Amino acid sequence: MKILIITADRCDDSELFYPYYRLAEEGWSVSIASFAKTKISAKYHFEIEADMSVDEVKEGEYDALLLPGGMAPEKLRQNARVLDIVRAFNDAKKPVAAICHGQQILISSKILKGRKATCYPGIKDDLVNAGAIYFNEKVVVDENLVTSRRPEDLPYFMKAFIDMIKG
């Protein structure tokens, strides 16, 4: 399996590294895409190298997509290529997972109308205004979509996402 994570500077450390290592533990190849192939500085103090820019992503080469939260989604949601990638994964019914503020990218991708989802409480109104059906739960699964609220939900989020990938 090949998993794509899209993130940028000021992402939430735990929402990037917990999934990254958990997916690697499954024996899967995990690639990180950002605005450029460069070092990403997470919100608190960790750093990781992006494998590629979002312009280099070939969606058909990946089996699933993960969008960490933090402050990065606010910038990523303004990038047309990022939104195209999210829509391509969703249209192909490939697993798409977003946690915390990662749902801002889903909102801007316009894939949430009529979908069940959750998010960080501070963007609940944005999620609802995008047409999503909001649930205040640790993890919400709707077809190919997995969403969670915050770092404390990571164990439930990753279990649901990995289960979905495994089919």
Side-chain angles (χ1 to χ4, degrees):
M1 291 288 170
K2 289 182 72 177
I3 315 302
L4 178 65
I5 297 175
I6 298 177
T7 194
D9 285 341
R10 309 282 291 151
C11 62
D12 184 280
D13 303 58
S14 63
E15 294 168 2
L16 170 60
F17 286 98
Y18 185 115
Y20 179 84
Y21 289 120
R22 185 63 196 88
L23 294 165
E25 285 174 351
E26 291 293 325
W28 299 336
S29 171
V30 184
S31 299
I32 297 175
S34 192
F35 294 117
K37 185 178 177 177
T38 187
K39 191 175 289 186
I40 296 170
S41 296
K43 190 173 167 182
Y44 298 105
H45 60 68
F46 290 103
E47 294 181 334
I48 195 165
E49 193 76 28
D51 301 303
M52 70 190 85
S53 75
V54 291
D55 293 327
E56 297 172 293
V57 171
K58 293 180 177 82
E59 300 92 298
E61 294 181 0
Y62 295 93
D63 301 294
L65 172 66
L66 188 136
L67 305 168
M71 298 175 184
E74 185 64 36
K75 294 176 190 163
L76 289 163
R77 73 188 303 186
Q78 298 174 49
N79 183 287
R81 179 67 185 124
V82 170
L83 303 181
D84 287 344
I85 293 167
V86 172
R87 285 190 287 265
F89 272 84
N90 187 64
D91 291 348
K93 300 295 184 208
K94 292 181 180 180
V96 175
I99 186 165
C100 201
H101 284 78
Q103 286 83 319
Q104 290 175 313
I105 301 168
L106 302 179
I107 291 165
S108 294
S109 297
K110 301 191 183 330
I111 66 165
L112 291 176
K113 188 169 185 167
R115 307 286 299 273
K116 298 175 200 161
T118 193
C119 62
Y120 187 75
I123 62 168
K124 173 189 171 197
D125 290 345
D126 300 320
L127 195 79
V128 170
N129 289 334
I133 304 160
Y134 175 79
F135 290 87
N136 183 20
E137 297 177 4
K138 292 176 184 174
V139 65
V140 175
V141 176
D142 185 359
E143 298 176 13
N144 65 312
L145 184 63
V146 178
T147 55
S148 280
R149 302 171 300 186
R150 56 176 50 105
E152 295 84 357
D153 298 337
L154 278 162
Y156 311 96
F157 175 68
M158 289 309 298
K159 180 178 183 339
F161 187 48
I162 288 167
D163 287 350
M164 181 179 285
I165 293 168
K166 287 181 175 179

